[in-house]
Amino acid sequence: MSKIPVLETFGPTIQGEGMVVGRKTMFVRTAGCDYQCVWCDSAYTWNGSEKHRTRMLSPEEVMDELVALGGNRFNHVTITGGNPALIGDPMRRFINLCHQQGHKVGLETQGSRMQDWFFDIDDLTLSPKPPSSKMETNWDTLDRIVHELTGHSVNFSLKIVVFDNEDVEYAKSVFARYPDVAQKYVQPGNAHTDASGNISAYLLERLEWLFGVVISDAAFNSVRVLPQLHAMVWSNERER
């Protein structure tokens, strides 16, 4: 594959989660995923409902779209999905192009697939999926990715989205498995991804619950709690 399967590009906007929460960024959302999380807020990337919107674009074409949208109002690009880690050399070329034009690059992936271009990412979030997703973590693969990123001094973090107490225990097990990863985050999940209107009160309620969980458990002494900032402000609106 010499091109990138792009479902949407948008921005500039504000990153609402992860290690660079609050940062102005452009987004490139790729199509396709090797997971099918039951609560996925972007299931349209893999369930076929928006297959007609997917375009095969060269790295240069993707950059042209970002510049047309953002002009000179950005210096950071977030690659998301789906799972962008399914894409090989075209993604490497896109990242190199971003760097040539002075843009930092962020990535979020679940840690199910390794790519050598991970070493070129400026802000990499590994977000293994907890039991509520109904997906199974491949620990051998995740172990390898964490080992490789650490060995190459990549700026990366572990982020677990939690919906219930079983997910909390999963997050504790992930963080205990990788004690040398400095950046660890938990985030309350959004179970109302199909809701219209303002969901900020619901998200604040879930954030308060997670605050209580983290405060009461020594296993989270070095873990930071993050909100879904974009959903608090824009609810479930897309391309914001």
Side-chain angles (χ1 to χ4, degrees):
M1 183 171 58
S2 61
K3 296 190 176 183
I4 300 171
V6 176
L7 187 58
E8 56 194 9
T9 57
F10 58 96
T13 186
I14 302 299
Q15 174 60 265
E17 55 189 328
M19 61 194 295
V20 289
V21 62
R23 201 198 200 292
K24 183 163 71 168
T25 188
M26 299 294 294
F27 272 86
V28 177
R29 187 181 300 281
T30 63
C33 192
D34 48 336
Y35 275 20
Q36 297 181 1
C37 298
V38 298
W39 38 250
C40 180
D41 62 1
S42 53
Y44 54 88
T45 61
W46 50 261
N47 66 12
S49 63
E50 297 193 17
K51 185 178 180 180
H52 61 285
R53 295 186 61 199
T54 301
R55 295 164 300 141
M56 302 302 296
L57 301 179
S58 70
E60 292 76 16
E61 288 171 327
V62 179
M63 181 57 68
D64 286 346
E65 282 202 5
L66 296 182
V67 172
L69 287 167
N72 66 352
R73 294 177 294 127
F74 72 98
N75 62 8
H76 188 275
V77 176
T78 298
I79 303 168
T80 188
N83 185 9
L86 300 178
I87 304 165
D89 187 64
M91 191 61 75
R92 182 200 315 277
R93 291 189 287 118
F94 174 67
I95 294 164
N96 289 339
L97 186 59
C98 287
H99 287 157
Q100 289 167 16
Q101 299 197 15
H103 307 311
K104 300 288 189 181
V105 181
L107 170 76
E108 178 162 338
T109 181
Q110 62 262 40
S112 61
R113 185 76 64 92
M114 178 66 194
Q115 293 284 355
D116 288 346
W117 52 258
F118 284 4
F119 305 143
D120 300 324
I121 296 292
D122 299 289
D123 321 298
L124 196 158
T125 298
L126 289 178
S127 185
K129 304 310 177 188
S132 62
S133 70
K134 306 304 181 185
M135 298 291 105
E136 293 288 336
T137 300
N138 184 323
W139 294 108
D140 289 342
T141 299
L142 188 58
D143 287 348
R144 179 196 166 204
I145 293 174
V146 170
H147 175 76
E148 293 278 356
L149 295 179
T150 301
H152 285 79
S153 300
V154 176
N155 179 34
F156 79 101
S157 67
L158 287 166
K159 186 194 78 175
I160 312 298
V161 176
V162 296
F163 285 80
D164 53 33
N165 290 329
E166 188 177 10
D167 288 354
V168 169
E169 293 305 311
Y170 173 87
K172 288 163 64 173
S173 70
V174 171
F175 296 148
R177 189 180 185 98
Y178 308 112
D180 295 330
V181 176
Q183 301 183 78
K184 301 182 177 76
Y185 303 96
V186 287
Q187 173 186 301
N190 177 8
H192 292 174
T193 55
D194 294 329
S196 59
N198 191 326
I199 62 170
S200 59
Y202 159 74
L203 293 173
L204 284 170
E205 179 183 299
R206 299 305 297 160
L207 188 60
E208 183 180 18
W209 164 76
L210 189 52
F211 277 1
V213 168
V214 169
I215 289 168
S216 65
D217 196 324
F220 293 110
N221 283 358
S222 299
V223 176
R224 300 182 186 185
V225 183
L226 293 177
Q228 280 194 312
L229 190 61
H230 60 296
M232 286 182 173
V233 176
W234 293 313
S235 297
N236 291 318
E237 291 184 45
R238 280 178 58 180
E239 301 185 21
R240 289 299 302 264

